[in-house]
């Protein structure tokens, strides 16, 4: 079970690196790959054939960043400002950036018949947390096949369903686009008001929300379910994530339904089943897909705060979702619980969690929180918008959720630039970033312990 | 140096408790004592002679809670709604609740010539983090003498300074009241606009801000300085807290000055030295005294956010200030740093910090953050006020700062009741509270370790 631990994988990676064939660290290679993809996407979206009107270089860069980081924040409306070519570029960037970058690198190395280079191996070790190189190929293929199969089924369902009102070609184009966007947790839509027209359409809402959950729960979980099939044999990690996902989605669902049922601007006008579908969609999409079927600028402040929390937590590790990740959140809850109740260990479903994992979660949540706080602080200098809207857009970008209280398109250039940085940092993981920037020397000096008063 | 560790003290306390003479745990005794003091204060403030007009039972309860928890939030203005008797009751509650409760219990036990009871001993072990009972008496006396001496000097200075414009009796009454309020970090004032009239008066501002810092830095630090007098011989803890306090105050000072220097509603109208004094006062008072010399409803959102952060961090442990405490904040920074840079230990000024202390800090910041988040969530249900104002009042109550964006007096009853709970919980320490509520059984079961994916 060591295979779910990136630190251990990194140690394996270091063994690989010691051969001398690999220079850069995997996080840096990943970051560089993302950056290349963003720049390529920027150029493609900047081409005159991508837009129905002129698109500035910065607009193209913002949209490419939003696509590659599977965020979905927009400063131009893909439904009306992009040509079909531009839309295809956008959704391809989403698929590459989401499913994406690493899987493709590994798969292509395999399908080309070459032995994977050591560099690819090390990348894959980090990306899939596998310690054995031979297992990576199987895992990479499994991820790829499963993902494509899920997307194909959903695209067929949506095509058939939408075909009732639309020509087959239009229906299938829209189905494929929204399937890719949903599975990759990128909230881009071919409609200016996102999925509002489907607010009480059960087939569309349930298909899209299932795609979001499957894409966002994390490949280790999907892989484990694929291997085991029975609950009792699942890894503790898988069980915890499944239960946590269910809990968060249900809490969001019930809270949003209760808080908004009388709000004429959101759920108030809908039938009871329609309210249920809309509340469910809004709960699921907040972690961290970003589609909307209701007008989120009209949400009650309480619901908005809840959604900010759901966005901050996000999806499963190694998924198309971002945020601090549900595993991190659960470890922190368990750590607090174990401290309060004087347990010697942090325990989850009768398995103890290592202090290193707890410390990692702590660092992650504090660094992410500090980034959000610092960014909000900066943006309040540039912008006159209400504080809650600024907080919402910042957390939406940092968690690569992409929901917007209609503020992002109207922000000043420095704020929009800040959002691109947050999307990039949010997708690569604040921790990965600081990790890769850090020197790796371990101090040989031992210090005497000092007791230190806290609280 | 074990004497700064409450957990260790609690173990000593358990040894005391094993004698069988003590039933309740110290946190519960402390909480009960606070509650009694609040109820007594409520009755006194409810008396017709306390008010210049009628005061409701809830108003009396709110003011008593605010005083005993040294917060300073008000729903009636002590300057115009309380008689001199009521004001004296209020400031007495502040002195008892701040300096206060525990010191007095110990001191009175000693001065009455009795041997301290085991109950008093255990209480004092927790309150002063002393492991040796014989050392407690010295410490308790030292704390008491030092505090009274500091208050006396400041009261004389302010009396002499204010005597220029006022009769001696009025000047000394005001001086004593504000001295006690400032040293105990309770932002009550005899003026409706707090200390606004002294905004550019260097003697008043510097005296009050010195009192706030001395009261809020923590008795362990004052005691260590009193014993050692030279920098090199100070405990690492003392050095860290001194440096941290200086840093936070300077960061707040410079940021507020820069952000507000052009704001006509706050610093804009003042001379350059006046701006410096006002920015300094606002920075110092935010951790967590609560006096104001400028109109904080007019502050820029950026400054407001910074102040919210300063309130959340608060002062030193075992002081008249609250918040998560500067020691907790510094330990968390050090823990994140040590993780990012792959250190084996958390190190501060060449001393390592135990994993237990780190975990304690983590629990404290997460519980406090969760309390603040949950309270804001609840209050957004009851109130229509802007989100940032609600956040401000909640953090102000929870950190027992007592600054207000003029929202607290206009809140609904449930919200005001929530604020009293937050003040109480904030003063006793979220951790102490959950600690005392928890069962104390240690699990004998050992669980296998599971690796767990986070981030
Ligand atoms: K997204
Ligand atoms: K206060």
């Amino acid at each position: 079970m060591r295979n779910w631990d990136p630190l251990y994988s990194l140690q394996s990676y270091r063994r690989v690196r010691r051969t001398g064939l690999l220079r850069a660290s995997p996080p840096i290679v990943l970051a560089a790959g993302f950056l290349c993809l963003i720049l390529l996407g920027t150029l493609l979206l900047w081409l005159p054939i991508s837009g129905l009107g002129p698109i500035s270089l910065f607009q193209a860069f913002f949209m490419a960043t939003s696509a590659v980081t599977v965020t979905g924040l927009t400063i131009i409306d893909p439904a009306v400002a992009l040509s079909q070519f531009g839309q295809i570029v956008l959704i391809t960037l989403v698929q590459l950036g989401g499913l994406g970058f690493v899987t493709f690198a590994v798969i292509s190395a395999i399908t080309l018949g070459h032995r994977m280079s050591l560099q690819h191996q090390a990348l894959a070790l980090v990306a899939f947390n596998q310690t054995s190189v031979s297992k990576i190929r199987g895992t990479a293929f499994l991820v790829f096949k499963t993902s494509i199969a899920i997307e194909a089924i959903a695209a067929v369902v949506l095509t058939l369903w939408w075909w009732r009102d639309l020509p087959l070609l239009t229906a299938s184009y829209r189905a494929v686009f929204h399937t890719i966007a949903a599975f990759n947790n990128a909230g881009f839509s071919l409609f200016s008001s996102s999925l509002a027209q489907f607010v009480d359409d059960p087939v569309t809402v349930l298909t899209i929300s299932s795609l979001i959950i499957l894409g966002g729960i994390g490949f280790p979980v999907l892989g484990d379910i694929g291997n085991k099939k029975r609950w009792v044999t699942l890894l503790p990690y898988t069980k915890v994530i499944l239960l946590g996902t269910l809990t968060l989605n249900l809490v969001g669902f019930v809270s949003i339904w209760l808080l908004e049922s009388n709000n004429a601007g959101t759920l108030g006008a809908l039938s009871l089943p329609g309210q249920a579908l809309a509340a469910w969609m809004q709960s699921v999409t907040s972690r961290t897909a970003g589609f909307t079927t209701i007008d989120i600028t009209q949400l009650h402040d309480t619901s908005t705060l809840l959604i900010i929390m759901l966005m901050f937590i996000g999806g499963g590790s190694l998924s198309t979702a971002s945020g601090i990740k549900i595993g991190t959140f659960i470890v922190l809850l368990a750590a607090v619980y174990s401290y309060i109740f004087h347990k010697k260990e942090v325990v989850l479903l009768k398995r103890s969690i290592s202090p290193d994992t707890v410390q990692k979660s702590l660092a992650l949540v504090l660094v992410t929180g500090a980034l959000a706080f610092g960014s909000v602080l900066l943006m309040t200098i540039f912008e006159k918008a209400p504080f809650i809207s600024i907080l919402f857009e910042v957390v939406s970008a940092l968690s690569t959720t992409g929901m917007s209280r209609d503020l992002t398109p109207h922000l000043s250039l420095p704020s929009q630039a800040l959002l691109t940085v947050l999307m990039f940092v949010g997708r690569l993981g604040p921790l990965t970033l600081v990790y890769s920037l850090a020197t790796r020397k371990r101090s040989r000096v031992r210090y005497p312990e000092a007791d230190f008063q806290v609280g």
Side-chain angles (χ1 to χ4, degrees), chain A:
Chain A
M1 283 184 285
R2 295 295 283 179
N3 47 343
W4 307 125
D5 181 1
L7 193 67
Y8 184 75
S9 307
L10 207 86
Q11 283 154 1
S12 317
Y13 148 73
R14 286 202 190 108
R15 282 195 295 273
V16 174
R17 189 158 71 155
R18 244 176 259 127
T19 63
L21 288 173
L22 189 61
R23 295 281 178 274
S25 78
I28 287 175
V29 174
L30 270 174
F34 262 66
L35 212 54
C36 289
L37 202 53
I38 288 171
L39 295 180
L40 180 68
T42 303
L43 291 179
L44 286 172
L45 289 175
W46 195 36
L47 291 176
I49 52 162
S50 286
L52 296 179
I55 296 175
S56 77
L57 186 61
F58 180 76
Q59 285 172 333
F61 171 69
F62 188 98
M63 296 302 284
T65 306
S66 184
V68 171
T69 60
V70 295
T71 305
L73 277 178
T74 54
I75 55 174
I76 57 171
D77 184 351
V80 297
L82 291 183
S83 66
Q84 200 166 35
F85 175 80
Q87 291 171 346
I88 292 172
V89 167
L90 193 74
I91 206 66
T92 308
L93 291 175
V94 166
Q95 184 83 315
L96 292 174
L99 231 185
F101 181 70
V102 178
T103 320
F104 272 72
V106 179
I107 297 283
S108 62
I110 299 167
T111 49
L112 286 173
H114 300 305
R115 272 186 62 82
M116 281 201 295
S117 70
L118 282 175
Q119 199 146 2
H120 276 132
Q121 288 175 20
L123 266 175
L125 286 170
V126 171
F128 295 108
N129 290 310
Q130 300 290 345
T131 50
S132 141
V133 171
S134 64
K135 279 178 66 182
I136 291 174
R137 301 185 190 191
T139 308
F141 252 132
L142 186 70
V143 166
F144 186 74
K145 284 191 300 187
T146 312
S147 305
I148 297 299
I150 292 171
E151 289 189 343
I153 293 168
V156 168
V157 169
L158 288 180
T159 301
L160 292 174
W161 185 247
W162 291 346
W163 192 13
R164 297 168 310 148
D165 308 316
L166 294 168
L168 180 61
L169 210 65
T170 313
S172 64
Y173 174 66
R174 290 183 179 176
V176 169
F177 186 97
H178 289 96
T179 294
I180 294 177
F183 186 74
N184 288 287
N185 275 249
F188 292 111
S189 170
L190 293 178
F191 313 105
S192 293
S193 56
S194 195
L195 302 181
Q197 60 179 292
F198 305 109
V199 60
D200 54 2
D201 170 352
V203 174
T204 303
V205 165
L206 295 177
T207 308
I208 296 280
S209 61
S210 303
L211 281 170
I212 291 171
I213 294 173
L214 287 171
I217 207 163
F219 293 123
V221 172
L222 291 185
D224 191 37
I225 295 173
N227 288 333
K228 309 285 182 53
K229 292 177 180 84
R230 285 181 51 233
W231 176 259
V232 287
T233 57
L234 291 177
L235 290 175
Y237 172 73
T238 307
K239 292 181 187 170
V240 168
I241 298 301
L242 287 174
L243 290 174
T245 300
L246 187 67
T247 307
L248 276 189
N249 284 341
L250 286 181
V251 166
F253 167 60
V254 172
S255 309
I256 292 169
W257 197 356
L258 286 177
L259 288 165
E260 300 293 329
S261 57
N262 288 322
N263 183 343
T266 55
L267 303 189
L270 298 168
S271 67
L272 218 60
Q275 290 190 345
L277 282 174
W280 173 252
M281 183 68 187
Q282 187 56 47
S283 173
V284 171
T285 199
S286 299
R287 311 188 32 251
T288 59
F291 283 116
T292 51
T293 58
I294 54 179
D295 182 357
I296 59 165
T297 64
Q298 300 296 310
L299 285 169
H300 198 285
D301 275 4
T302 317
S303 317
T304 308
L305 265 182
L306 260 177
I307 290 171
I308 289 174
M309 191 194 68
L310 290 175
M311 296 197 293
F312 189 81
I313 297 172
S317 299
L318 295 170
S319 74
T320 61
S322 304
I324 61 164
K325 304 290 164 20
I326 188 166
T328 312
F329 178 67
I330 292 171
V331 165
L332 289 175
L333 287 185
V336 171
Y337 173 89
S338 82
Y339 183 70
I340 291 174
F341 288 89
H342 292 220
K343 307 288 184 195
K344 288 223 163 182
E345 316 174 286
V346 178
V347 173
L348 272 174
L349 292 185
K350 301 196 176 172
R351 290 293 182 283
S352 77
I353 305 297
S354 75
D356 189 67
T357 304
V358 174
Q359 209 188 353
K360 208 184 296 179
S361 305
L362 164 65
L364 190 56
V365 76
L366 292 183
V367 169
T368 311
L371 264 173
F373 182 81
S375 305
V376 170
L377 212 59
L378 266 179
M379 268 177 67
T380 54
I381 297 179
F382 305 132
E383 311 297 332
K384 290 240 172 288
F387 173 65
I388 195 168
S389 296
I390 291 178
L391 178 65
F392 191 93
E393 308 288 301
V394 162
V395 174
S396 177
L398 186 57
S399 64
T400 78
T401 305
M403 276 192 285
S404 172
R405 284 168 69 93
D406 197 27
L407 181 61
T408 296
H410 312 297
L411 291 173
S412 65
L413 197 70
S415 297
Q416 290 182 341
L418 178 62
L419 290 182
T420 62
V421 174
L422 289 179
M423 292 190 276
F424 191 80
V425 171
R427 182 62 185 148
L428 281 179
L431 203 58
T432 312
L433 196 79
V434 285
Y435 198 101
S436 73
L437 292 174
T439 57
R440 295 218 167 72
K441 284 177 208 157
R442 274 177 192 271
S443 165
R444 296 273 186 281
V445 188
R446 307 291 297 178
Y447 297 107
E449 188 171 314
D451 279 302
F452 202 88
Q453 180 69 50
V454 299

